[in-house]
Amino acid sequence: MGIAGDIALILVAALLGGIVARWLRLPLILGYIAAGVLVGPNTFGPTVGNVHEIELLAEIGVALLLFTIGLHFSLRELAPVRRVALLGTPLQLVLTITFGYGVGRLLLDLGWVESVWLGALFSLSSTAVVLKTLGEQGVLGTLSARVMVGMLIVQDLAIVPLLTVLPVLENIREGLPELGLAVLKAAAFIAAMLLFGSRVLPLLLARLAAWGSRELFLVSVVAIGVGVGYATYLFGLSFAFGAFVAGMVLSQSDYSHQALAEVEPLRDVFAMIFFVSVGLLIDPSFLWARFGTIVLVVALVLIVKGLIFGGLTRVFGYGNIVPFAVGLGLFQVGEFSFLLAREGISADAISQETYSLVLATAAVTMGLTPLAARLAPVLYGRYRRRFPREPLQTFNLPEGGLTDHAVVAGFGRVGSFVARLLHRLDKPFVVVEANPDRADEAKAAGFPTVYGDAVAVPVLEAAGISRARITVLTIPDAIAARLAVERVRGLAPDVDLLVRAENAGQLEDLGRLGVYEAVQPELEAGLELARQALARFGVAAEEAQNFADGVRRELYAPIFGEGTANEGGDGLYARLRQASQAIEVEWVRLPEGQALEEDESETLTGSTQLGRTIGDLGVRSETGASILAVVRGDEVIPNPGADLALQAGDAVGVLGTPEQRAAFRTIAGANADDSPEVARGTQDR
C-alpha cells in the first residue's frame, strides 16, 4: 500500500506505545519513540517500508508544532528574554561546539574537522521535544518556558549559518559570502513578515471566518503555517522557522485562539509521526555494539550541555528554578541535528559511524528529556536545602520591622500592580524580588524591598513572613510558585496565601497544597469579557453577574472543591471552603408591578410585598437571609437598613444558603427562572 500502509502501521504502533506509556505513567513521547523502534527497519516484525517519506511527513509535524507555539507566544511575551536568547544562545552554541570538539578528539579519536561537526551536532536542542514536554507538564506560560523558547528560536536560526559554514570548514573564506547572504535573507524575511504579514494574514483570516465555513478556516490556517514555512525553505531558511514566524504574526490576530483550537488536533497527529520517525532511526544492534560509548556520550551531553544552559541562564540574571529547568530541558540533541548530519554525510565530512552515534545520542536524550524535566523541582529543592542562603539585601524597611503586613513575592507586571495599589491605599507591605533590575525598580519607587529568592528561608524571614497577614505570590513559574508555597507554609502555617496561577493544572496542584485563594489572570479576563458581552446582548446585569460567578466557581473547583481540601492540621481550610460553598451571594431582580397598600390584604405574598420595608418583610427572621446591597437605577445602596422599602425593578444582593435565598425569592415574588440556579457566586469572590 506504500505510504498509506506505513502511516496505518505507525498509527497503530503509536497507539499501543502511548497506551503502554500512559499505563506506566511515562510521557507519551517515550511510547511513540519505542513504537518507532519496533516498526523500524532494524527490528523484526511489521516494518515501515519508506523511512525517508515518513521523515518528510515528520517535518510537517515539527512545522505545525512550531506554528501553534507561535500562536501561543507573542513578541511582547518573548521580549523580556531577548538578552539571554540573542546573546546567551550564541555563547551556548560556541561552548557546546567546543565541548563536542573535545569529545571527538579525546574520546572518539576523530579528526579536527569531524570533531567540529560533532560539536555542532551536539549544540542544537530539540524544539519539538521541549515544546511537547512543556505542554504535557502544563508549564508553557512560565518564565522558564519563555527562556527555553527564546533560546530555541535562536538555535533554529543558527541552522542557516551552520549549514553554510560547516561544509566549507577546511576553506572558511569561501563560505563567508554565503554566510553573509544567509543573514541578509533571514533579516529580510523577518522584516517582511512583521510589516506585511501582520497586516495581510489577519485580514485574510477575518474574511475567511466571515464566510462561516469551519472546514475552509482550518484549511486556511494550515496553509498559512505550512505555506509560509515552505516559502522560507525556498528562501534558503528553515522550513520550521518560517512556520513559527507565521504563528507569531497570527498571534496578534483576533482569530488566533480559534486558529489554535482548529489546528491543534492535526498538529498532535503529525507531531506523533515525528517522534515515531525518531525511533525509526535507532538501530538496536548498534546500540548494543557501542553501548558503553553511547552511555558515556549521553551522560557527558546531559551533564555538560545541561550545565552550559543552566550556567548561562544564571549569568544572565535568572534565578530560582529557572536555571535548573532550562538546563534539564534543553540538554538533548535535537531534530535539526539530523538535517545537519545528513549534510555532513553528503559532504563526506563525517563517517557513517559518527552519524549513527549522533542519531543514537539524539534519540536517547530526546527520550530522557521528559524524565529529566521532572527532576528540576527535586534538584532545586535539594539545592535550596544545601545552600539555603541567597544574596540578601533590604531597602526601605522600617527600623521596627513590619507587622500585620502583606508580602508581595515578585515585582513583575502583576506584582508591581498589587504593590502600587497597596501603597495607594496606605497598607503595609514588603516586596520580595530576585531579579536585580526589578528589585531596583521597587527600591526606586520607595517600596520596602527584600532582594532575594522567595523560596529561600532567610529571604522570607527578612520579609517578616511569620508576622505577615497575607502573602501574595505573583511568581510566573509554576514550579517555583509551588516551592514557594511549601516554604511559606512551613514558616507561617496561618498566613493567608494568594497565588497567581498560570493554568488549570496549577490550580489543582495549589488546591492539594492547601492554598485557599488563587487567581488565574487569563481566566478572570475571559470571564469579564463574557460578562460584558452578555450585557451587550441585553442580558440583565444581575443575571450576567450570577452566570459569571457560577462559571468562576466551576473553573476554580480545584481550589474550592472538597477533594482538594487540605486535610492536615485542624482542617481549617476544609471548613472555610465548605462555608464558602454553603453561603453564597445571589442577585435577585424584583418583579415589575404595582405595590398594594398594607390594608388591601392581611396576608401579602409575591409581588404585593413590594413597597414594604425590609424590616416589615422580616427578611432576616422569616428567611434567614441577609440583604447586602440594593441596586436601584443608577443608585447603589450598600448594607441597607431595615427601614428601606423595596421597589419594583430593584436588584437585591441576597446572602444565604440555597434554601434561605429560595425563601427570599418566594416572599419577593421572584421565581427561580428570574435568577437561574446555574449561576451562583461565592461570597468571597
Side-chain angles (χ1 to χ4, degrees), residues 633-672:
D634 295 332
E635 182 184 7
V636 178
I637 307 172
N639 195 24
D643 58 346
L644 178 71
L646 298 179
Q647 298 181 7
D650 283 351
V652 182
V654 184
L655 172 68
T657 65
E659 294 77 12
Q660 292 169 343
R661 299 194 309 271
F664 174 81
R665 288 197 303 272
T666 299
I667 70 169
N671 298 322

Short mmCIF file of all heavy atoms in Angstrom, two decimals, residues 633-672:
data_model
loop_
_atom_site.label_atom_id
_atom_site.label_comp_id
_atom_site.label_asym_id
_atom_site.label_seq_id
_atom_site.Cartn_x
_atom_site.Cartn_y
_atom_site.Cartn_z
N GLY A 633 -31.81 51.60 39.79
CA GLY A 633 -31.45 52.53 38.72
C GLY A 633 -29.95 52.75 38.70
O GLY A 633 -29.16 51.82 38.61
N ASP A 634 -29.55 54.02 38.83
CA ASP A 634 -28.13 54.36 38.85
C ASP A 634 -27.58 54.41 40.27
O ASP A 634 -26.41 54.72 40.47
CB ASP A 634 -27.89 55.73 38.18
CG ASP A 634 -28.23 55.71 36.70
OD1 ASP A 634 -28.13 54.62 36.11
OD2 ASP A 634 -28.61 56.76 36.17
N GLU A 635 -28.42 54.11 41.25
CA GLU A 635 -28.02 54.24 42.65
C GLU A 635 -27.67 52.87 43.23
O GLU A 635 -28.36 51.88 42.98
CB GLU A 635 -29.16 54.85 43.47
CG GLU A 635 -28.82 55.06 44.93
CD GLU A 635 -30.02 55.60 45.73
OE1 GLU A 635 -31.12 55.66 45.15
OE2 GLU A 635 -29.83 55.93 46.90
N VAL A 636 -26.57 52.81 44.00
CA VAL A 636 -26.18 51.60 44.71
C VAL A 636 -26.32 51.87 46.21
O VAL A 636 -25.75 52.83 46.74
CB VAL A 636 -24.73 51.20 44.39
CG1 VAL A 636 -24.32 49.96 45.18
CG2 VAL A 636 -24.57 50.94 42.90
N ILE A 637 -27.11 51.02 46.87
CA ILE A 637 -27.36 51.19 48.31
C ILE A 637 -26.69 50.03 49.04
O ILE A 637 -27.25 48.92 49.10
CB ILE A 637 -28.87 51.22 48.61
CG1 ILE A 637 -29.57 52.27 47.74
CG2 ILE A 637 -29.12 51.48 50.09
CD1 ILE A 637 -31.08 52.23 47.83
N PRO A 638 -25.49 50.21 49.58
CA PRO A 638 -24.83 49.11 50.28
C PRO A 638 -25.35 48.95 51.70
O PRO A 638 -25.74 49.93 52.35
CB PRO A 638 -23.36 49.55 50.28
CG PRO A 638 -23.41 51.05 50.27
CD PRO A 638 -24.66 51.43 49.52
N ASN A 639 -25.39 47.72 52.17
CA ASN A 639 -25.78 47.41 53.55
C ASN A 639 -27.03 48.18 53.96
O ASN A 639 -27.02 48.96 54.91
CB ASN A 639 -24.62 47.71 54.50
CG ASN A 639 -24.82 47.09 55.87
OD1 ASN A 639 -25.54 46.10 56.01
ND2 ASN A 639 -24.20 47.68 56.88
N PRO A 640 -28.16 47.99 53.28
CA PRO A 640 -29.36 48.78 53.56
C PRO A 640 -29.91 48.46 54.95
O PRO A 640 -29.81 47.35 55.46
CB PRO A 640 -30.33 48.34 52.47
CG PRO A 640 -29.89 46.97 52.09
CD PRO A 640 -28.40 46.97 52.24
N GLY A 641 -30.55 49.49 55.55
CA GLY A 641 -31.15 49.31 56.86
C GLY A 641 -32.54 48.71 56.77
O GLY A 641 -33.11 48.52 55.69
N ALA A 642 -33.13 48.44 57.94
CA ALA A 642 -34.45 47.79 57.99
C ALA A 642 -35.55 48.70 57.49
O ALA A 642 -36.64 48.23 57.12
CB ALA A 642 -34.74 47.34 59.42
N ASP A 643 -35.29 50.03 57.43
CA ASP A 643 -36.34 50.97 57.02
C ASP A 643 -36.37 51.20 55.51
O ASP A 643 -37.19 51.98 55.02
CB ASP A 643 -36.14 52.30 57.74
CG ASP A 643 -34.77 52.90 57.47
OD1 ASP A 643 -33.89 52.17 56.95
OD2 ASP A 643 -34.57 54.09 57.78
N LEU A 644 -35.51 50.53 54.74
CA LEU A 644 -35.51 50.72 53.29
C LEU A 644 -36.67 49.95 52.67
O LEU A 644 -36.81 48.74 52.90
CB LEU A 644 -34.18 50.25 52.68
CG LEU A 644 -34.10 50.37 51.15
CD1 LEU A 644 -34.01 51.83 50.74
CD2 LEU A 644 -32.91 49.60 50.60
N ALA A 645 -37.49 50.63 51.88
CA ALA A 645 -38.61 49.98 51.20
C ALA A 645 -38.15 49.43 49.86
O ALA A 645 -37.50 50.13 49.08
CB ALA A 645 -39.75 50.97 50.99
N LEU A 646 -38.46 48.17 49.59
CA LEU A 646 -38.11 47.55 48.31
C LEU A 646 -39.07 48.01 47.23
O LEU A 646 -40.28 48.13 47.47
CB LEU A 646 -38.14 46.03 48.43
CG LEU A 646 -37.15 45.42 49.41
CD1 LEU A 646 -37.31 43.91 49.44
CD2 LEU A 646 -35.73 45.80 49.06
N GLN A 647 -38.53 48.26 46.03
CA GLN A 647 -39.35 48.76 44.93
C GLN A 647 -39.24 47.83 43.73
O GLN A 647 -38.27 47.06 43.60
CB GLN A 647 -38.89 50.18 44.54
CG GLN A 647 -39.04 51.20 45.64
CD GLN A 647 -38.60 52.58 45.21
OE1 GLN A 647 -38.30 52.80 44.03
NE2 GLN A 647 -38.56 53.52 46.15
N ALA A 648 -40.23 47.90 42.87
CA ALA A 648 -40.23 47.10 41.65
C ALA A 648 -39.00 47.42 40.81
O ALA A 648 -38.64 48.58 40.64
CB ALA A 648 -41.49 47.36 40.85
N GLY A 649 -38.36 46.39 40.30
CA GLY A 649 -37.18 46.57 39.45
C GLY A 649 -35.88 46.64 40.21
O GLY A 649 -34.81 46.70 39.60
N ASP A 650 -35.92 46.61 41.56
CA ASP A 650 -34.68 46.62 42.34
C ASP A 650 -33.89 45.33 42.08
O ASP A 650 -34.47 44.25 41.94
CB ASP A 650 -34.98 46.71 43.85
CG ASP A 650 -35.34 48.13 44.27
OD1 ASP A 650 -35.20 49.05 43.45
OD2 ASP A 650 -35.79 48.30 45.43
N ALA A 651 -32.56 45.45 42.05
CA ALA A 651 -31.67 44.28 42.04
C ALA A 651 -31.12 44.13 43.44
O ALA A 651 -30.44 45.02 43.95
CB ALA A 651 -30.54 44.46 41.04
N VAL A 652 -31.45 43.03 44.09
CA VAL A 652 -31.15 42.83 45.50
C VAL A 652 -30.08 41.76 45.63
O VAL A 652 -30.23 40.64 45.11
CB VAL A 652 -32.41 42.41 46.28
CG1 VAL A 652 -32.09 42.26 47.77
CG2 VAL A 652 -33.53 43.43 46.08
N GLY A 653 -28.98 42.08 46.33
CA GLY A 653 -27.93 41.10 46.61
C GLY A 653 -28.25 40.37 47.90
O GLY A 653 -28.23 40.97 48.98
N VAL A 654 -28.54 39.08 47.80
CA VAL A 654 -29.01 38.29 48.94
C VAL A 654 -27.93 37.28 49.33
O VAL A 654 -27.45 36.51 48.49
CB VAL A 654 -30.32 37.54 48.59
CG1 VAL A 654 -30.84 36.79 49.82
CG2 VAL A 654 -31.36 38.51 48.07
N LEU A 655 -27.57 37.28 50.61
CA LEU A 655 -26.58 36.36 51.13
C LEU A 655 -27.27 35.28 51.95
O LEU A 655 -28.09 35.58 52.83
CB LEU A 655 -25.58 37.11 52.02
CG LEU A 655 -24.58 36.25 52.81
CD1 LEU A 655 -23.61 35.58 51.87
CD2 LEU A 655 -23.84 37.10 53.84
N GLY A 656 -26.95 34.02 51.68
CA GLY A 656 -27.54 32.94 52.46
C GLY A 656 -27.35 31.60 51.81
O GLY A 656 -26.74 31.48 50.73
N THR A 657 -27.88 30.58 52.43
CA THR A 657 -27.84 29.23 51.87
C THR A 657 -28.83 29.14 50.72
O THR A 657 -29.70 30.02 50.56
CB THR A 657 -28.20 28.20 52.94
OG1 THR A 657 -29.56 28.40 53.33
CG2 THR A 657 -27.28 28.32 54.15
N PRO A 658 -28.77 28.09 49.90
CA PRO A 658 -29.75 27.96 48.81
C PRO A 658 -31.19 27.99 49.32
O PRO A 658 -32.06 28.60 48.68
CB PRO A 658 -29.39 26.59 48.19
CG PRO A 658 -27.94 26.43 48.48
CD PRO A 658 -27.71 27.05 49.81
N GLU A 659 -31.48 27.37 50.47
CA GLU A 659 -32.84 27.37 51.00
C GLU A 659 -33.26 28.77 51.44
O GLU A 659 -34.40 29.19 51.23
CB GLU A 659 -32.94 26.40 52.18
CG GLU A 659 -32.74 24.93 51.83
CD GLU A 659 -31.27 24.58 51.61
OE1 GLU A 659 -30.40 25.41 51.96
OE2 GLU A 659 -30.99 23.47 51.09
N GLN A 660 -32.35 29.50 52.07
CA GLN A 660 -32.66 30.85 52.53
C GLN A 660 -32.91 31.79 51.36
O GLN A 660 -33.83 32.62 51.39
CB GLN A 660 -31.52 31.37 53.41
CG GLN A 660 -31.40 30.65 54.74
CD GLN A 660 -30.11 30.99 55.47
OE1 GLN A 660 -29.16 31.51 54.87
NE2 GLN A 660 -30.08 30.69 56.76
N ARG A 661 -32.11 31.65 50.29
CA ARG A 661 -32.32 32.50 49.12
C ARG A 661 -33.62 32.15 48.42
O ARG A 661 -34.31 33.03 47.89
CB ARG A 661 -31.12 32.35 48.16
CG ARG A 661 -29.80 32.77 48.79
CD ARG A 661 -28.70 32.94 47.74
NE ARG A 661 -28.59 31.80 46.86
CZ ARG A 661 -27.81 30.75 47.10
NH1 ARG A 661 -27.12 30.68 48.22
NH2 ARG A 661 -27.74 29.76 46.23
N ALA A 662 -33.96 30.87 48.38
CA ALA A 662 -35.24 30.46 47.77
C ALA A 662 -36.41 31.04 48.55
O ALA A 662 -37.42 31.48 47.97
CB ALA A 662 -35.33 28.94 47.72
N ALA A 663 -36.30 31.07 49.90
CA ALA A 663 -37.36 31.65 50.72
C ALA A 663 -37.51 33.14 50.44
O ALA A 663 -38.64 33.67 50.40
CB ALA A 663 -37.07 31.40 52.20
N PHE A 664 -36.39 33.83 50.23
CA PHE A 664 -36.49 35.25 49.91
C PHE A 664 -37.16 35.47 48.56
O PHE A 664 -37.99 36.37 48.41
CB PHE A 664 -35.09 35.89 49.90
CG PHE A 664 -35.11 37.32 49.45
CD1 PHE A 664 -35.46 38.33 50.32
CD2 PHE A 664 -34.82 37.66 48.12
CE1 PHE A 664 -35.52 39.66 49.91
CE2 PHE A 664 -34.87 38.97 47.70
CZ PHE A 664 -35.22 39.98 48.60
N ARG A 665 -36.82 34.64 47.57
CA ARG A 665 -37.46 34.81 46.27
C ARG A 665 -38.97 34.60 46.38
O ARG A 665 -39.75 35.23 45.67
CB ARG A 665 -36.86 33.81 45.26
CG ARG A 665 -35.45 34.15 44.82
CD ARG A 665 -35.06 33.40 43.54
NE ARG A 665 -35.20 31.96 43.70
CZ ARG A 665 -34.25 31.16 44.18
NH1 ARG A 665 -33.11 31.68 44.56
NH2 ARG A 665 -34.45 29.86 44.27
N THR A 666 -39.37 33.72 47.27
CA THR A 666 -40.80 33.46 47.43
C THR A 666 -41.52 34.69 47.98
O THR A 666 -42.56 35.11 47.44
CB THR A 666 -41.02 32.26 48.37
OG1 THR A 666 -40.41 31.11 47.80
CG2 THR A 666 -42.50 32.00 48.59
N ILE A 667 -41.02 35.30 49.03
CA ILE A 667 -41.71 36.45 49.61
C ILE A 667 -41.58 37.68 48.72
O ILE A 667 -42.40 38.60 48.81
CB ILE A 667 -41.20 36.76 51.03
CG1 ILE A 667 -39.76 37.30 50.99
CG2 ILE A 667 -41.31 35.56 51.94
CD1 ILE A 667 -39.31 37.87 52.32
N ALA A 668 -40.50 37.70 47.87
CA ALA A 668 -40.32 38.85 46.98
C ALA A 668 -41.02 38.67 45.65
O ALA A 668 -41.03 39.59 44.83
CB ALA A 668 -38.82 39.10 46.75
N GLY A 669 -41.58 37.47 45.40
CA GLY A 669 -42.27 37.24 44.14
C GLY A 669 -41.35 37.02 42.98
O GLY A 669 -41.75 37.15 41.82
N ALA A 670 -40.07 36.66 43.23
CA ALA A 670 -39.11 36.38 42.15
C ALA A 670 -38.97 34.88 42.02
O ALA A 670 -38.59 34.20 42.96
CB ALA A 670 -37.75 37.00 42.47
N ASN A 671 -39.33 34.33 40.85
CA ASN A 671 -39.23 32.90 40.62
C ASN A 671 -37.79 32.49 40.37
O ASN A 671 -36.93 33.31 40.04
CB ASN A 671 -40.10 32.49 39.42
CG ASN A 671 -41.56 32.79 39.68
OD1 ASN A 671 -42.05 32.62 40.80
ND2 ASN A 671 -42.26 33.24 38.65
N ALA A 672 -37.55 31.18 40.45
CA ALA A 672 -36.20 30.66 40.17
C ALA A 672 -35.77 30.99 38.76
O ALA A 672 -34.61 31.18 38.48
CB ALA A 672 -36.15 29.16 40.42
#
